[in-house]
Amino acid sequence: MAQGRKGKLNYRCPRCLMREIDMDMLYDREADEYYCLRCSFVGDEQEVLRLNAQFREKYRDRTKRITSF
Ligand SMILES: [Zn+2]
């Protein structure tokens, strides 16, 4: 059961998140990469985490900009 097709954790696709689409990525064990069926984003765990952190920063900036508008 622990050996899921989706890997240890389900990550959201950072590229889809930026378009406000909530999309789980699939995990390719052979390549050790996560990929998204929707936008064909491919990246390893590090890349996904980095982009997710980047998204959070951008999102915070966006709300900041809106509230100060
Ligand atoms: Zn995607």
Side-chain angles (χ1 to χ4, degrees), residues 13-17 23 25 36-41:
C13 171
R15 204 181 280 172
C16 287
L17 261 187
M23 189 72 192
M25 286 190 295
C36 173
L37 290 174
R38 196 169 205 288
C39 70
S40 69
F41 168 86

Side-chain angles (χ1 to χ4, degrees), residues 6-44:
K6 285 189 169 186
K8 319 158 233 169
L9 285 167
N10 281 1
Y11 288 116
R12 301 273 151 73
C13 171
R15 204 181 280 172
C16 287
L17 261 187
M18 295 204 188
R19 293 178 201 146
E20 292 175 16
I21 299 163
D22 196 352
M23 189 72 192
D24 279 341
M25 286 190 295
L26 298 175
Y27 178 63
D28 183 343
R29 269 203 288 176
E30 272 167 47
D32 190 27
E33 278 175 341
Y34 290 86
Y35 61 99
C36 173
L37 290 174
R38 196 169 205 288
C39 70
S40 69
F41 168 86
V42 181
D44 63 13

